[in-house]
Amino acid sequence: MTRRQRVAENLNSALHHLLGAHPGTYLIGEDVADPYGGAFKVTRGLSDRFPDRVLSSPLSEGGIAGVGAGLALAGNRSLVEMMFSDFAALAFDPLLNFAAKSVSMYGRRVPMSMVVRCPTGGNRGYGPTHSQSLQKHFLGIPSLHLREVSPFHDNQRVLTAMLDREEPGVLFEDKVLYTRAMYRDGVVDDLFRYEVLADPSETARVFAPDCGPPDWIVLAPGGLTERAVTALRSLLLEEEITCELLVPSQLYPFDSKALLPVLSRADRICVLEDSTADGTWGELLAQQLHEQLWSRLARPVLPLSAEPSIVPTAAHLEHDVLLQPSTIHRAIMEATK
């Protein structure tokens, strides 16, 4: 059996394909050129192959995003790498006031093929300024769409779809996920299988075969896949609580109505995320599902998120702040009573 590609390798292959297939595609970011190849080695080999279109930049996230938006405005395709997603806060102005608005503020639709890649999340001991999950801060901006990497979704397909949309987008990439293997052939492990649904958000459905309708449906972004599957496994084996996991590729805009046939199979729903609570993707989704499914639900949608805290450096403190499988297990078990 051939070795499964790791998520970082899958991203690297996707970037090689995109730059090879489209001569007007540029990649810009800090230390993205060889021999460094990016902080997480996702851009390794690209500058040797495309020296004129892989540009290592000064340390200026606002400048990087502005140049990326300018390239897109001029008709090119741009891929912008933030070394850590925390630094995307410095690029908020060019994303909000230049890139997203350029799609529609000139009296006609202007194509803006631009993706900002953001290594995201904790569980690596990087501390308060390098471990955040800032997805919620980019929600609700017209013409700015959000996706998150998962081990179910091939990144060539994901990035191609983002660029073909001709609107600026942000791709969140969980840093722990980089080292994990991509799933393939519909198999997660010895207990769970998966399929990718044909809804607009290209949602992956993880399920235990032959278990019948689930007690819970859990929705989570890609970075929480491993922790969610661990919790689902323990709930099934230890508590005999059956859950299905839905992992969308696209976080915003998110068409929950397209998933109603799947969501209607359970009368309990839980939404997970690594952001701190208030104004989040999970809360927006819970609101939509409450409106659409309330008459069928046994209880309100259960939202679970990170603690309202900075992310500490020490591993045991970081563990207590971020959402963990044991927290998911306990919350769902208690809400089942």
Side-chain angles (χ1 to χ4, degrees):
M1 181 180 294
T2 58
R3 182 180 70 86
R4 287 187 294 162
Q5 206 176 33
R6 296 188 186 278
V7 170
E9 294 171 333
N10 186 262
L11 275 163
N12 180 265
S13 296
L15 294 171
H16 273 278
H17 171 80
L18 289 170
L19 270 78
H22 300 279
T25 302
Y26 290 81
L27 188 148
I28 181 170
E30 298 162 5
D31 292 329
V32 294
D34 294 321
Y36 196 60
F40 299 96
K41 310 309 176 190
V42 173
T43 60
R44 180 180 290 167
L46 288 165
S47 65
D48 286 343
R49 186 178 171 195
F50 308 103
D52 297 331
R53 292 187 284 127
V54 177
L55 312 173
S56 276
S57 70
L59 302 180
S60 174
E61 284 71 24
I64 297 168
V67 169
L71 286 166
L73 188 65
N76 301 290
R77 292 182 163 203
S78 65
L79 298 157
V80 177
E81 179 180 294
M82 299 286 136
M83 188 174 284
F84 289 85
S85 70
D86 310 65
F87 308 153
L90 296 165
F92 192 77
D93 179 69
L95 281 174
L96 169 69
N97 286 318
F98 176 19
K101 290 180 181 177
S102 291
V103 174
S104 59
M105 71 178 182
Y106 299 114
R108 61 179 178 86
R109 180 176 172 82
V110 175
M112 290 288 292
S113 295
M114 171 186 181
V115 175
V116 179
R117 297 180 39 248
C118 291
T120 295
N123 290 303
R124 292 287 296 261
Y126 290 160
T129 61
H130 294 72
S131 305
Q132 296 167 95
S133 294
L134 298 180
Q135 289 89 328
K136 69 179 185 179
H137 298 290
F138 297 91
L139 283 170
I141 299 174
S143 299
L144 183 71
H145 65 289
L146 312 180
R147 287 203 180 215
E148 184 157 339
V149 166
S150 94
F152 304 105
H153 298 93
D154 180 74
N155 287 294
Q156 180 178 317
R157 179 182 175 91
V158 169
L159 285 165
T160 298
M162 294 183 78
L163 292 168
D164 286 349
R165 189 184 179 99
E166 297 187 335
E167 293 180 350
V170 182
L171 180 63
F172 296 97
E173 305 170 6
D174 185 86
K175 297 191 288 288
V176 171
L177 203 62
Y178 282 144
T179 64
R180 303 301 193 253
M182 298 288 295
Y183 295 126
R184 67 183 184 192
D185 302 327
V187 177
V188 175
D189 56 24
D190 62 320
L191 191 58
F192 291 103
R193 300 293 181 265
Y194 78 92
E195 61 178 349
V196 178
L197 305 176
D199 67 296
S201 297
E202 298 182 7
T203 301
R205 170 180 168 255
V206 179
F207 59 96
D210 304 321
C211 281
D215 300 304
W216 285 83
I217 288 179
V218 179
L219 294 102
L224 272 162
T225 297
E226 187 175 42
R227 283 171 278 169
V229 169
T230 299
L232 267 58
R233 186 181 187 89
S234 64
L235 283 163
L236 180 58
L237 297 178
E238 299 172 18
E239 316 294 343
E240 296 185 351
I241 297 173
T242 304
C243 303
E244 289 188 3
L245 174 65
L246 300 180
V247 181
S249 172
Q250 184 164 301
L251 302 184
Y252 183 85
F254 186 80
D255 183 7
S256 56
K257 290 183 179 179
L259 290 176
L260 288 181
V262 178
L263 292 164
S264 298
R265 298 181 67 241
D267 61 4
R268 291 177 172 87
I269 295 176
C270 177
V271 181
L272 312 178
E273 60 191 345
D274 251 354
S275 297
T276 56
D278 299 325
T280 67
W281 170 78
E283 291 173 0
L284 176 63
L285 183 55
Q287 176 192 345
Q288 293 179 13
L289 298 179
H290 175 91
E291 294 173 353
Q292 296 160 7
L293 293 169
W294 175 239
S295 62
R296 305 179 186 179
L297 295 179
R299 52 155 292 128
V301 176
L302 175 64
L304 298 176
S305 57
E307 294 296 317
S309 168
I310 63 165
V311 181
T313 303
H316 67 290
L317 298 176
E318 186 180 42
H319 181 277
D320 291 342
V321 165
L322 299 174
L323 194 58
Q324 302 298 337
S326 58
T327 308
I328 302 166
H329 177 123
R330 183 170 58 253
I332 289 180
M333 183 182 66
E334 292 176 352
T336 304
K337 296 177 181 177

